[in-house]
Amino acid sequence: VRIWDARKKKGSALDVKASDCDVNVISWNTKVPYLLASGDDKGEFKVWDLRNFQGGWPVASFSWHTQAISSLQWNPNQPSMIAAAGADNQVTLWDLSLERDSEAEAELLAQGMPVPDIPPQLIFIHQGQKEVMEVRWHPQCPGVMGSTAADGVHIFRPINAA
């Protein structure tokens, strides 16, 4: 991924090797201008802090999707939320402000229950479409999303938002 500055005469202003395979999509966070997300052919998406871009390490990386990421979009009203669509026929919603709760996990283990192998930031999975290509947030209805796929368009509200 390269960030270009048209005022600079030669070369990119910032660049990083974002993946070992093709990067298919990027998305700027409109509320936090130094955050950029990238999605690749392996189904991984990463969040980059442009203030530390040259270090080459993302601030977050998620490998939930099993096939290529086809679309990413930050929530326009909640800057910690991002939606991802993949060739694995899933639309996922992530809240990057969430962290693993080690106390709750210890309680589960104490009760003899397994700890789910789900990232704590993953808050919603939408399935039922084939070849999902795009995911977008509705600009006027907070919490409403749309996804397009080979078999149609889905409009849904995965979160309650004011």
Side-chain angles (χ1 to χ4, degrees), residues 3-57:
I3 310 295
W4 297 90
D5 183 343
R7 299 169 296 184
K8 190 174 177 185
K9 296 202 185 273
K10 291 187 179 184
S12 58
L14 299 170
D15 63 78
V16 68
K17 183 173 173 75
S19 178
D20 291 332
C21 60
D22 289 342
V23 172
N24 300 323
V25 63
I26 62 169
S27 179
W28 293 102
N29 188 316
T30 58
K31 298 289 185 191
V32 185
Y34 54 82
L35 291 182
L36 174 75
S38 64
D40 68 25
D41 267 352
K42 293 186 295 189
E44 184 174 19
F45 79 91
K46 298 175 183 174
V47 178
W48 304 90
D49 183 335
L50 296 182
R51 299 171 302 177
N52 300 313
F53 201 55
Q54 297 291 41
W57 298 103

Side-chain angles (χ1 to χ4, degrees), residues 4 10 12 20 32 47 56 67 71 86 88 120 122 128 131 137 155:
W4 297 90
K10 291 187 179 184
S12 58
D20 291 332
V32 185
V47 178
Q67 294 182 31
S71 182
D88 58 355
L122 178 59
E131 300 176 37
W137 292 95
I155 306 294

Side-chain angles (χ1 to χ4, degrees), residues 95-154:
D95 186 344
L96 304 185
S97 69
L98 300 176
E99 297 179 1
R100 189 165 298 283
D101 185 344
S102 56
E103 290 177 11
E105 289 178 355
E107 271 186 46
L108 287 174
L109 291 172
Q111 295 171 9
M113 299 174 66
V115 175
D117 190 24
I118 299 171
Q121 298 84 1
L122 178 59
I123 62 172
F124 181 80
I125 301 172
H126 177 72
Q127 297 176 314
Q129 288 181 287
K130 301 290 183 212
E131 300 176 37
V132 182
M133 295 309 293
E134 289 286 336
V135 61
R136 292 289 178 255
W137 292 95
H138 192 287
Q140 295 174 321
C141 300
V144 175
M145 303 173 70
S147 58
T148 61
D151 58 351
V153 175
H154 285 194

Side-chain angles (χ1 to χ4, degrees), residues 74-98:
W74 292 95
N75 183 312
N77 301 307
Q78 297 184 21
S80 66
M81 292 185 136
I82 187 168
D88 58 355
N89 303 324
Q90 293 186 76
V91 174
T92 54
L93 179 57
W94 302 79
D95 186 344
L96 304 185
S97 69
L98 300 176

